[in-house]
Amino acid sequence: LDLEEGKLNWMWFSVPPAKKGPKNWHAQARKGNILPYPGDWGESDRIGGGGLWGTAAVDESAQRVYLGTGNSDLFVYGDLDVPGPNLFTDCLVCLDAMTGKMQWYYQATPHDLIGWDVGWNTMVADIDVRGTKQRAVIAGSKNNHVYVLDAKTGRPLYTPIRIGYNATPLNSDKENLADMKSVLKPGFYSPGHLGGINAPLAFAYNTIYVASQRLDQVAKYYDAIYNGTKVKGVHLKHEDTPEYSTLYAIDAGRGEVKWTHFMKTTFQSAAITVSGGLVFAVERGGVLHVLDAETGSH
C-alpha cells in the first residue's frame, strides 16, 4: 500500500485466487525448489491456507520482502482430491518490494497434511560463513527445521537443521520426492500442528536461537458434510504424552548446534531476546531463563 495516498500498489497470492489474479500462477513454480506439478491443488474448490501468521522482513537496500507462509487446510477433511505440493503454502518467499513479483520461494513441507507452517518471524541477517559475509534469510517451521537460505537466490546455505522431538516425518523436507497425493490418516503425529517451532527465533553473535516444543496429537475421523456430500472430517486432539521444550543455539556459519537447554513446559508464542551476552526466554510455565549466549550456562 502507498502510505501517502492509500492506494494499492500490488498484490501477491500465496494460493490460487478464487476469482482473479495472475494467470501465470503455476509458472511461478519454476522459481523454487519444487518442480511444476500439473493440476496442483486438484479439482476441489477447497483451496485455502497460506496466510501469514508471523512477521515479514524488508531489506530496503535490496528492495526485497521476505515472508513465511502458512499451511494449507488439507487436514480439515481426509478424503478431498487436492493433490500436488499445494504451492505456495509452507514456503519462505522473496518478493520484489516495488512490484510484488516473486523472486524465489523455498517450500519446506510439500502437500502439508498436519499444519507445519512457517509460522513465525522471518529474519534477514549477515552471517559469517568461514570468514565470508553472507546475507541470509532465516526462519523456522513447525516441522522442527531451521532454514538458512541465500537471500538473493533462496538456495539453502546448508542442509536444514532438524531439532526437537520428531516421530512423524511425513513430507517434511522431501521436496519433489514427497507423496503429493497422500491424505491425513488416523493415528499419532509428532510434532502435532501446535508443536515444533512455534515461537519467534532470534539472531545475535552469528548464532541462531530457537526453541522447539513437544506437543503430540492424534488424528481421528468423523462423519462430515462438505458441499452437500458426505466426507471424512479430521479431528486433531492432544495426546496424553510428555510436554516440554528445548532451547537451541545454532552456529549460523556452520549450521551446527552449539548448545541446548531443557525447559520443563512448552515454549509457544514468546519471543527469545538476546542482549548483553545473555539469552532471555520465558517458558509457558512462567519461568524466565537467563543463559550465557555463548555457552548456554545459567
Side-chain angles (χ1 to χ4, degrees):
L1 293 172
D2 184 310
L3 293 185
E4 293 184 358
E5 300 183 13
K7 293 181 179 180
L8 179 67
N9 285 340
W10 52 260
M11 291 189 295
W12 177 79
F13 293 89
S14 61
V15 300
K19 296 181 179 179
K20 62 180 181 178
K23 295 181 179 180
N24 65 340
W25 183 85
H26 290 289
Q28 296 183 77
R30 300 185 183 278
K31 297 182 178 180
N33 63 326
I34 303 297
L35 296 174
Y37 190 96
D40 188 14
W41 288 100
E43 300 299 324
S44 174
D45 61 354
R46 181 77 189 187
I47 296 177
L52 274 67
W53 288 92
T55 53
V58 178
D59 187 334
E60 290 190 75
S61 62
Q63 295 188 339
R64 295 192 182 103
V65 178
Y66 301 97
L67 53 91
T69 62
N71 56 279
S72 66
D73 60 356
L74 297 189
F75 62 87
V76 177
Y77 298 108
D79 55 359
L80 294 184
D81 183 22
V82 191
N86 310 135
L87 296 174
F88 294 97
T89 60
D90 291 327
C91 285
L92 276 165
V93 177
C94 172
L95 305 177
D96 185 300
M98 307 307 294
T99 66
K101 185 177 180 180
M102 187 171 69
Q103 304 297 299
W104 56 257
Y105 75 90
Y106 183 93
Q107 189 173 44
T109 306
H111 197 75
D112 183 13
L113 298 174
I114 199 69
W116 287 341
D117 48 276
V118 185
W120 289 92
N121 60 329
T122 304
M123 300 186 293
V124 179
D126 290 322
I127 65 176
D128 188 324
V129 182
R130 295 181 293 276
T132 301
K133 290 291 183 180
Q134 169 72 56
R135 178 147 292 193
V137 178
I138 304 169
S141 167
K142 285 193 287 184
N143 68 15
N144 258 343
H145 287 76
V146 176
Y147 299 89
V148 182
L149 310 180
D150 184 302
K152 186 175 181 179
T153 67
R155 297 188 183 95
L157 296 183
Y158 35 73
T159 301
I161 307 141
R162 191 174 189 182
I163 64 174
Y165 180 84
N166 302 278
T168 308
L170 288 179
N171 283 333
S172 175
D173 281 302
K174 292 184 179 179
E175 299 188 278
N176 295 296
L177 298 178
D179 183 348
M180 303 295 187
K181 297 182 180 180
S182 56
V183 297
L184 185 65
K185 299 178 180 179
F188 173 85
Y189 293 93
S190 182
H193 83 285
L194 292 176
I197 300 171
N198 205 0
L201 296 73
F203 176 83
Y205 316 122
N206 209 47
T207 302
I208 302 164
Y209 300 91
V210 55
S212 171
Q213 63 180 10
R214 180 178 178 182
L215 276 175
D216 306 329
Q217 287 170 312
V218 169
K220 294 184 177 181
Y221 283 162
Y222 68 93
D223 293 330
I225 301 293
Y226 178 70
N227 285 349
T229 303
K230 291 183 179 180
V231 295
K232 297 175 183 176
V234 178
H235 177 64
L236 291 170
K237 61 177 294 184
H238 286 304
E239 178 70 326
D240 187 19
T241 53
E243 297 183 0
Y244 55 83
S245 52
T246 305
L247 178 64
Y248 292 78
I250 299 169
D251 186 307
R254 300 195 304 268
E256 299 174 353
V257 175
K258 295 169 59 175
W259 54 259
T260 64
H261 176 73
F262 179 79
M263 293 177 281
K264 293 182 179 180
T265 61
T266 53
F267 192 95
Q268 184 173 329
S269 304
I272 299 168
T273 301
V274 186
S275 179
L278 298 174
V279 180
F280 302 86
V282 181
E283 61 176 287
R284 297 200 82 180
V287 177
L288 169 64
H289 298 259
V290 183
L291 310 172
D292 184 286
E294 181 62 28
T295 66
S297 60
H298 290 274

